[in-house]
Amino acid sequence: MKITDIIQALDLKIISGQNGLSNEIKGGYVSDLLSDVMGNATEGQIWITLQTHQNIIAIASLKEISAIILVKGSLPENDTIEKSNTENIPVLSSDLDTFSIAGRLFDILKME
Amino acid sequence: MQFKHKIAGGDFAKAGNIASSVKKILRQLNIDHAVSKRIVIALYEGEVNVVAHAYSGIVDVDIDEEKIKITITDKGPGIADIEQAMEEGYSTATPQVREMGFGAGLGLSNMKKNSDSMNISSVPAEGTIVELITYIKPDAR
Ligand SMILES: Nc1ncnc2c1ncn2[C@@H]1O[C@H](COP(=O)(O)OP(=O)(O)O)[C@@H](O)[C@H]1O
Ligand SMILES: [Mg+2]
């Protein structure tokens, strides 16, 4: 499944990193602890978090995360947006909380 | 092949830059994907530890046909009790650093799990040296 399909299905707002929107999604990961993501997330996953600072892009890029979903309507900081655009890692935003958005994403991905 | 990078303590904006440039080099060298993923995790955590806990540091990377050796040498407070520091969940990170999602106390264990050998030596009030070795061909361990 492509990120663009997820954006539509989950009604996500595209904040930045448009050039990465054709990335393929292979599952999801939910965590706000950066070492947990570093140690346990895998390539191609979509990462749901409430962290908005630029280190999330560094991690996403190192781990080859396909996109980041920020929860509860959070918006990233400006340097996060810039980095997301240079690394081509889409930052998306949902008005829902982590539990709700993760649940919906899980439902969509399990049908694959 | 050998190279050196500097790390400035407290500079969270640049945390991960060294791991990123090493990752590119490992890709150019056609290093096995699974091996390079482990190296990137371990190096990232080592880099973040200098940023979060020390004043300045140097990363030496030495790649030969058999292995990659990464040595992270910092000037800083050092680690008085290395065994305790290795425990998952143990962290002396400040509340601000924790709020950013760093300081979960999982860094050193990530480094241990993602290298073939890890050696820490430290002098309190002087600094810390972390040496990570990873074999390029997984069966050469
Ligand atoms: N380079 C270092 N210099 C001084 N102290 C360190 C260093 N690396 C790790 N530590 C100590 O070990 C603890 C655990 O490190 P780690 O497992 O990476 O967790 P975290 O960095 O999330 O606190 C740190 O909180 C710190 O007290
Ligand atoms: Mg750490």
Side-chain angles (χ1 to χ4, degrees):
Chain A
M1 191 172 284
K2 293 251 191 289
I3 294 172
T4 38
D5 304 324
I6 302 274
I7 289 170
Q8 225 175 8
L10 298 180
D11 194 20
L12 302 172
K13 196 168 358 155
I14 303 169
I15 311 288
S16 56
Q18 274 83 355
N19 287 339
L21 288 176
S22 56
N23 290 350
E24 194 74 33
I25 295 173
K26 299 178 203 140
Y29 200 75
V30 181
S31 184
D32 303 317
L33 298 177
L34 305 185
S35 284
D36 177 37
V37 176
M38 209 53 217
N40 301 302
T42 54
E43 194 179 326
Q45 288 180 330
I46 195 160
W47 174 21
I48 302 173
T49 183
L50 48 73
Q51 300 293 352
T52 56
H53 54 82
Q54 60 174 318
N55 295 90
I56 60 175
I57 308 295
I59 288 176
S61 167
L62 287 170
K63 297 293 289 185
E64 297 172 37
I65 295 282
S66 60
I68 298 170
I69 301 178
L70 305 180
V71 295
K72 293 192 286 191
S74 304
L75 293 173
E77 278 128 56
N78 283 336
D79 37 24
T80 309
I81 294 178
E82 266 171 48
K83 243 183 148 171
S84 141
N85 288 331
T86 45
E87 297 288 333
N88 298 327
I89 294 176
V91 175
L92 313 168
S93 178
S94 169
D95 289 331
L96 300 177
D97 62 23
T98 305
F99 179 75
S100 311
I101 195 73
R104 288 181 202 193
L105 180 64
F106 187 89
D107 278 342
I108 294 173
L109 291 177
K110 88 175 172 210
M111 292 186 305
E112 284 259 285
Chain B
M1 184 188 230
Q2 278 181 329
F3 42 94
K4 226 182 241 298
H5 293 275
K6 282 187 194 150
I7 310 174
D11 191 359
F12 280 94
K14 295 211 180 89
N17 283 5
I18 302 175
S20 173
S21 76
V22 169
K23 182 183 172 192
K24 284 186 193 124
I25 288 164
L26 297 179
R27 186 174 295 166
Q28 281 161 11
L29 293 173
N30 256 320
I31 304 288
D32 181 76
H33 212 62
V35 172
S36 82
K37 278 183 192 167
R38 297 177 78 226
I39 293 168
V40 164
I41 295 170
L43 175 53
Y44 175 82
E45 293 288 3
E47 217 183 318
V48 167
N49 277 353
V50 176
V51 172
H53 307 298
Y55 314 138
S56 69
I58 290 175
V59 178
D60 285 290
V61 182
D62 186 348
I63 306 175
D64 64 26
E65 270 152 50
E66 185 198 25
K67 63 185 181 303
I68 297 176
K69 187 174 149 192
I70 295 172
T71 311
I72 307 168
T73 308
D74 73 52
K75 293 198 177 90
I79 305 174
D81 184 341
I82 293 172
E83 214 173 299
Q84 180 184 45
M86 288 295 305
E87 279 170 26
E88 292 198 352
Y90 176 82
S91 176
T92 58
T94 61
Q96 298 94 294
V97 167
R98 280 169 196 253
E99 218 164 86
M100 290 170 75
F102 294 105
L106 299 171
L108 289 172
S109 74
N110 268 354
M111 291 162 79
K112 176 104 190 148
K113 281 183 210 158
N114 289 287
S115 56
D116 293 329
S117 97
M118 170 161 109
N119 190 48
I120 304 178
S121 57
S122 186
V123 178
E126 282 186 24
T128 302
I129 302 174
V130 182
E131 190 185 88
L132 299 161
I133 294 175
T134 305
Y135 293 94
I136 290 171
K137 298 203 177 65
D139 46 337
R141 262 174 240 171

